[in-house]
Amino acid sequence: MIIKGLIKKQISNQYTIIDLETKKEYLAIPSGKLRYVKVDEKSSFNKTYGRSTKKRQQIIQISPKVGDKVLLDISGDTNVIEEILPRNNDLVRPDVANVDQVLLVFSAIKPEFSFNLFDKFLVILKEQKLNIILVVSKIDLIPTDELNKLKEQLQYYEENVGIEVYYVNSKQKIGFDILEHIFTNKITVLAGQTGVGKSTLLNALIPGLDIKTQEISLALGRGKHTTRHSELYEFNDGYICDTPGFSRLDLNIFEKEELKNQYDDFVSISSLCRFSSCNHINEPGCAIKEAVKNNKIPEERYNNYVLFYNEIEDKKNMYWKDMIIWK
Ligand code: ZN
């Protein structure tokens, strides 16, 4: 009998899989035939490496990973993963497939909200087709007028970039009631700088989950090369992925001309630029620069765009993505 399941946990070659219909859990191993698979250019398992390598037909080894939807044969003594279904996306660090959304946690203060880092996250996450939800933490520590100013600035992102924004105080669970619904039927990954309160937030959401234990056990591990393991935790009919320790979001870097495509708010205006290939830097008749002048696009967001553009140009071979840290 074959069932359709979701990989919840992986420990070396042993997988925990949830039957998507009955929610029953099975332990399973991957079938040997998954080892070498021929993939064409369009396969979701086919990846490019480096900056401009084109996808080509190749034979690759596919390993099932947390987040994968699989076909599982439960007829024999040992349950066997027969097939991995196409992936919507595939993150490397954390090693999770089919992530629906990223809960980006930024603190209102300590550390101060950084629009530079926020814009950078948006650029990188958008490329992976990840829906982004921003949670602003520590709202109890910031004066009301400063919080209101921040809310005003973030309103632009809600209205023009399609980002949902929530404001929480994890300690007193303020703002949590409206946060809970966002997890339903989705795989959610948490991301943000160190010190913004991700662990506090996660522990407050799922009281049974002891994130600290994992952080300590990782510190006692075999150093840098300790295998990181990702696991999905059921929460409000969805899954939250906890990724212990530091790791980085590993994405292919953009060409500088591609950067503008990651800005939804720019794309909608750029048809008015004089040149269709306008990069919105020094070109005459640029509608984006005009919109900045008329306060339709925040100056800081545009300035960050120019910074990133120059950064890509300056450090062609440097991995820009290394600046993003997941914890
Ligand atoms: Zn332009």
Side-chain angles (χ1 to χ4, degrees):
M1 189 187 159
I2 304 275
I3 60 158
K4 199 171 155 184
L6 170 73
I7 299 179
K8 185 187 167 187
K9 186 175 167 183
Q10 174 190 4
I11 297 174
S12 57
N13 209 31
Q14 180 88 251
Y15 292 83
T16 307
I17 294 165
I18 307 171
D19 184 330
L20 285 171
E21 256 175 52
T22 64
K23 303 286 171 201
K24 196 178 159 192
E25 286 189 13
Y26 295 91
L27 284 177
I29 57 162
S31 158
K33 73 179 180 191
L34 291 175
R35 228 163 274 163
Y36 297 100
V37 186
K38 197 178 201 177
V39 293
D40 64 18
E41 296 84 345
K42 288 186 186 125
S43 167
S44 65
F45 300 106
N46 203 335
K47 292 186 153 193
T48 56
Y49 296 93
R51 291 190 90 210
S52 55
T53 316
K54 289 251 175 354
K55 284 183 183 177
R56 57 190 166 80
Q57 184 172 305
Q58 55 183 339
I59 291 172
I60 55 167
Q61 184 173 4
I62 304 179
S63 305
K65 59 162 79 178
V66 168
D68 265 329
K69 285 185 178 147
V70 297
L71 298 182
L72 182 69
D73 187 352
I74 51 168
S75 324
D77 295 335
T78 308
N79 303 318
V80 179
I81 300 168
E82 291 292 339
E83 196 182 328
I84 308 169
L85 300 174
R87 292 170 178 157
N88 291 333
N89 55 38
D90 185 3
L91 305 184
V92 178
R93 285 170 292 190
D95 201 14
V96 193
N98 299 318
V99 172
D100 294 293
Q101 60 189 10
V102 174
L103 204 71
L104 213 45
V105 188
F106 270 65
S107 56
I109 195 167
K110 290 182 187 173
E112 197 184 327
F113 195 100
S114 161
F115 278 91
N116 180 291
L117 190 65
F118 181 51
D119 283 332
K120 194 171 274 186
F121 259 113
L122 299 190
V123 166
I124 292 179
L125 296 176
K126 197 177 174 308
E127 205 223 3
Q128 282 276 345
K129 294 181 227 155
L130 293 164
N131 188 36
I132 301 156
I133 294 171
L134 174 68
V135 172
V136 180
S137 63
K138 303 188 188 177
I139 54 165
D140 50 321
L141 300 180
I142 187 171
T144 314
D145 55 332
E146 284 178 40
L147 180 62
N148 288 340
K149 193 184 162 221
L150 181 62
K151 283 183 175 173
E152 220 171 85
Q153 286 173 291
L154 287 170
Q155 203 180 341
Y156 174 82
Y157 289 84
E158 293 178 89
E159 289 168 1
N160 300 286
V161 192
I163 310 285
E164 279 180 65
V165 186
Y166 296 92
Y167 298 87
V168 303
N169 165 0
S170 299
K171 284 191 190 115
Q172 278 140 35
K173 291 200 177 195
I174 289 165
F176 272 46
D177 45 341
I178 44 167
L179 198 60
E180 288 183 343
H181 80 277
I182 63 173
F183 299 98
T184 309
N185 297 324
K186 296 210 168 83
I187 295 179
T188 305
V189 169
L190 263 71
Q193 270 176 294
T194 307
V196 295
K198 282 191 300 293
S199 298
T200 316
L201 175 73
L202 203 49
N203 282 319
L205 278 169
I206 317 177
L209 191 69
D210 197 351
I211 304 294
K212 276 212 181 92
T213 316
Q214 290 204 23
E215 282 176 353
I216 291 163
S217 64
L218 190 81
L220 296 173
R222 281 149 285 159
K224 272 187 189 169
H225 301 289
T226 308
T227 313
R228 301 178 203 289
H229 101 270
S230 304
E231 184 170 350
L232 302 181
Y233 295 92
E234 291 175 76
F235 181 66
N236 279 8
D237 297 320
Y239 299 93
I240 294 181
C241 180
D242 169 38
T243 55
F246 287 90
S247 51
R248 290 175 300 224
L249 181 59
D250 201 358
L251 297 179
N252 290 327
I253 197 160
F254 304 98
E255 295 291 344
K256 63 181 191 298
E257 294 79 13
E258 292 167 348
L259 182 66
K260 58 179 185 281
N261 303 326
Q262 312 303 322
Y263 286 70
D264 284 350
D265 47 339
F266 290 13
V267 170
S268 59
I269 301 175
S270 62
S271 58
L272 302 171
C273 292
R274 188 179 302 164
F275 301 106
S276 62
S277 63
C278 187
N279 285 314
H280 324 309
I281 303 289
N282 291 317
E283 298 90 338
C286 174
I288 299 299
K289 287 206 290 194
E290 191 62 27
V292 175
K293 216 183 279 170
N294 298 331
N295 296 320
K296 295 221 170 72
I297 291 174
E299 198 175 2
E300 193 175 1
R301 178 157 165 85
Y302 175 73
N303 289 345
N304 284 333
Y305 168 78
V306 177
L307 277 176
F308 301 159
Y309 184 93
N310 291 334
E311 219 169 280
I312 297 172
E313 192 171 49
D314 292 348
K315 301 170 187 169
K316 267 189 184 137
N317 298 312
M318 197 192 121
Y319 271 18
W320 191 50
K321 66 201 176 196
D322 284 357
M323 295 172 182
I324 298 292
I325 293 169
W326 294 68
K327 196 181 177 190

